Amino acid sequence: MDLKGKVVIAQGGGPTSVINQSLVGAVLESRKFPQVTRVYGALNGVEGIMNERFMDLTRETTHNLERVAATPASALLSTRVKPDIAYCKEMFKVLQAHDVRYFFYIGGNDSADTVRIVNEQAIQQDYEFRAIHIPKTIDNDLVLNDHTPGFGSAARFVSTAFMGLNLDNRALVGVYIAVIMGRNAGFLTASAALAKKYPDDGPHLIYLPERAFDIDQFLLDVKDAYAKYGRCIVAISEGIKDKFGKPLITNLVDTVEKDAHGNLQLSGSGSLGDSLTALVKEKLNIDRVRSDTLGYTQRNFIGAISDVDSNEAREVGEKAAHFGIWDNVDGSIVIERTGYYSVNYKLVDLSLIAGKTRFMPDEFITPEGNNVTDAFKYYARPLVGSGFPQPSQLRAPMAPKILDIHGKPFHS
C-alpha cells in the first residue's frame, strides 16, 4: 500500500557547488508521486524542522527550480547543529504533527547519523515513515562511496587554481604554500596534483592528514625541491597532524578557536600557512615565500562546477525519491564506480555510513608521504568533469648569444 503524506527535504553542513542539484532532483521526482501531498523544504536544516520553518516547494515553478539547481550553496540554507537523541525526539514530533512520511536529508556523515536517529524514533512510535540520507561533502570522506557529490567540483576548483599558481610561481620563482580544506581526509588537497602537465610543474609537495607531518622533514623536502626546480609549490591539508595525532596548527599557534562541535577552527584564518611561511624563510633563508588559505572559495565557486559532479548530484536526489517513495525503504544512498567512467547507485543501511570517516587509501599516497601516486590521478580525473583546462609552455629554441662576458662580439 502506498504511504500517503508529506515529504520534507533539508540540507546540512558545509554547502557545495552542486548540493542544490540534489535538492531539486528530490523535489521534482517527489512531486510526480500521487501519494505525496506536499513537498516541504526545511530552512536551516534540522533547526528549520524544530522551528517549523517549512517552504512549500510543491508551489515552486519547475523553471525556477532548475535555475536554483545550477546555483551553488544551500538554497534552503544550512546548519552546523549536530542533534542528539533528545533533539531528534523533538524534531520527530514536529514531523509527525505535519504528517511527514518521507524525510530526505542532504549532508555528510553527521547528517546520516541524524537520519538514523530520527528513523529509529519513527520505528519506536510505530509510525510509518521513510528516511533517506542523500550524500554530500567536498571532503569525499563518506565510507562505502567511491566518491561523494560536491567533491568533484571542489577538486576542479583546487586543481585549476593550482594551474594558475604554478604558472605564477614559474614566472616569479619562490616558495608558495597553499592550505586546503580537509580535517581528516586528504582527497581535496590531493586533487592539486591534477594540475600537473609538465615534469617540473607544481605542486612539488603534497601533505595529507593521513600521514604524520614532521616539520624538520618538511623543511628538508622544500629545500630539496627548491634545489631541483629553482622553486617549490606546496599543497597542504588544513588537518595535518604530528606523529602524536595532534593537529599541527596547535603546535604553531598559541590560541586556536573552536566551532560549536568543539572542533578546532582550521579554515577560519591563515595561521597555518603564515606559520609555515615564517619557518621556511627563517630556516632555509629563502626570501620569496608566500602562502594562501583557499578557504570557503573551494566549496561554492560557480566558475568551476564539474558537469560529472552536477549530474551525479542530481541523480542521488532523484534516487532518494525512488528509494523512499517508490521502493518504500530507508537508508543512505551510495555511489559505486562501475567502469571508467560510469556509476551506479545503491541503498545501504544508515548505520553503515553514520558517524564514520573514509580516508585516502594507501595506494593513493607515495611511500615518502609527501605526494600522491598516479593511481589517485586515475581515480580523480573523471570526477572534475569535461573541458578540463590544459595550460601550455613555449617550446621554441633559444637564439644564440653573440656577446662574450665582456660584452664584446664573439670572434672579434
Side-chain angles (χ1 to χ4, degrees), residues 16-27:
T16 80
S17 293
V18 297
I19 190 172
N20 291 328
Q21 289 285 3
S22 297
L23 165 66
V24 171
V27 171

Side-chain angles (χ1 to χ4, degrees), residues 219-298:
L219 291 170
L220 285 174
D221 291 345
V222 172
K223 182 180 179 181
D224 289 346
Y226 194 80
K228 181 176 181 180
Y229 301 109
R231 62 194 185 99
C232 179
I233 299 178
V234 180
I236 191 165
S237 290
E238 62 183 8
I240 54 171
K241 303 171 182 65
D242 63 20
K243 62 181 179 181
F244 303 108
K246 184 179 179 182
L248 183 69
I249 188 66
T250 60
N251 296 331
L252 300 174
V253 179
D254 292 335
T255 304
V256 184
E257 295 181 9
K258 293 185 178 181
D259 63 19
H261 298 167
N263 297 318
L264 295 176
Q265 289 278 51
L266 301 177
S267 298
S269 74
S271 299
L272 178 58
D274 290 345
S275 299
L276 293 174
T277 295
L279 277 170
V280 171
K281 284 183 177 179
E282 177 190 352
K283 301 296 185 181
L284 301 184
N285 197 29
I286 299 173
D287 291 332
R288 194 170 191 275
V289 186
R290 303 288 186 271
S291 68
D292 285 315
T293 299
L294 300 191
Y296 291 160
T297 315
Q298 298 160 89

